[in-house]
Amino acid sequence: MNRNDVALVTGGNKGIGREIVRRLAEQGFTVYLGARDPERGRAAVEELTRGREDAAHEALTANSARREPDFADRHDKLDIRFVPLDVGDVASVEEAVKTIGAATSRLDVLVNNAGIMVEWDVHPADITAAQLREAYEVNVFGIVSVTSACVPLLRRSHNPRIVNMSSGLGSLTLLSDPNSPLPAQDFLAYSSSKAALNALTVIYANALRADGIKVNAASPGMVPTDQNAAAPFPRGDRTTADGAVVPVLLATIPADGPTGVFRGPNRLDDVIPW
């Protein structure tokens, strides 16, 4: 169903983003791995595609011995392409989208995965406007820059989908629930930026409905990544593979799939309140 579809994943060189890239590519997508650092971005593409080639070679060797066809015999190597992309730089965003458009003429899936946390061990009352701007530059304004630049290419798709990587920490319902553990986290910049992202998701879903563009939010759950390496609390035992499950499901929903929903972290029917 997804063979030859084109996807862009921002912040795709590491963590959950990288796993999303890998899984979409394995489903037949041409995936553009967006990353700020060219060296790290190209290295990620090399590692992902080389790992697949090595696995395919081993499987082919084994299958030759027993003369049985296998998945690796029937599928080409992963089509993953690096594109320089800094979501906080409008010129970088425009150039990346221009590159994708020139090569493919359309975009079927956009995964807004890039995000930052700026406030470990900082009390909300001590958060500065500068820290808030830093978080919003990536977590909110970056989403708007990338999404608005990609909409013309998404409109050319037969089944366009946008997935915004959010968090339960952006749920106003959960944050205002005294029985939820989330209020105790006190992340003013991160939580408010993700709440703003959730609002963007709902508004974009309504605004782009007539174009057939589905816009949804996903929570990967608590996954140990570079972003939360400095967390002063246990980061859980979920893997990047666990965190990528729902975003990938939302990225591959059919044309009659949902829009304007917030799902995760384990299954597509896990509904998170706004």
Side-chain angles (χ1 to χ4, degrees):
M1 180 182 70
N2 301 306
R3 184 157 292 278
N4 299 322
D5 274 5
V6 182
L8 167 62
V9 181
T10 68
N13 63 296
K14 61 182 179 179
I16 298 170
R18 175 173 165 146
E19 181 64 17
I20 293 171
V21 168
R22 184 184 68 79
R23 290 193 174 202
L24 291 178
E26 287 182 343
Q27 293 192 36
F29 280 83
T30 292
V31 185
Y32 282 86
L33 183 157
R36 289 183 302 169
D37 187 314
E39 184 177 348
R40 293 180 179 179
R42 292 190 180 95
V45 170
E46 173 67 19
E47 290 164 5
L48 286 166
T49 55
R50 178 60 59 82
R52 171 61 170 240
E53 290 174 356
D54 291 345
H57 177 72
E58 291 176 4
L60 183 60
T61 300
N63 292 336
S64 297
R66 65 175 185 269
R67 299 180 182 276
E68 295 178 4
D70 191 81
F71 179 88
D73 297 327
R74 304 190 304 268
H75 291 73
D76 298 329
K77 69 177 183 179
L78 303 184
D79 187 359
I80 302 173
R81 309 175 186 183
F82 167 66
V83 61
L85 176 56
D86 179 351
V87 302
D89 182 337
V90 173
S92 171
V93 171
E94 293 176 347
E95 187 61 30
V97 174
K98 181 180 178 181
T99 297
I100 296 170
T104 67
S105 300
R106 75 175 195 280
L107 184 66
D108 300 291
V109 170
L110 166 62
V111 180
N112 283 311
N113 170 73
I116 63 171
M117 163 71 84
V118 301
E119 58 201 300
W120 298 118
D121 277 337
V122 182
H123 190 276
D126 297 324
I127 290 290
T128 65
Q131 288 173 308
L132 205 65
R133 289 191 190 97
E134 183 182 359
Y136 273 61
E137 192 65 45
V138 175
N139 298 351
V140 182
F141 305 144
I143 302 296
V144 173
S145 294
V146 175
T147 300
S148 62
C150 287
V151 163
L153 290 181
L154 287 163
R155 285 185 172 132
R156 299 177 185 175
S157 171
H158 65 287
N159 180 22
R161 292 139 283 174
I162 299 175
V163 180
N164 293 328
M165 293 294 285
S166 188
S167 166
L169 288 166
S171 166
L172 296 180
T173 298
L174 296 179
L175 288 172
S176 60
D177 181 358
N179 296 316
S180 168
L182 296 185
Q185 305 301 340
D186 289 335
F187 299 131
L188 178 64
Y190 186 79
S191 287
S192 65
S193 69
K194 289 301 183 180
L197 171 60
N198 289 346
L200 290 178
T201 300
V202 173
I203 294 169
Y204 274 134
N206 291 330
L208 298 174
R209 195 183 303 270
D211 294 304
I213 301 176
K214 291 174 288 298
V215 188
N216 297 299
S219 170
M222 179 58 76
V223 177
T225 63
D226 287 353
Q227 185 183 85
N228 56 35
F233 51 79
R235 297 185 293 155
D237 56 4
R238 290 172 60 81
T239 66
T240 55
D242 295 329
V245 169
V246 172
V248 170
L249 287 172
L250 286 173
T252 55
I253 54 176
D256 61 352
T259 189
V261 302
F262 189 8
R263 300 292 167 86
N266 298 308
R267 295 174 299 276
L268 199 56
D269 57 359
D270 288 344
V271 177
I272 302 174
W274 294 112

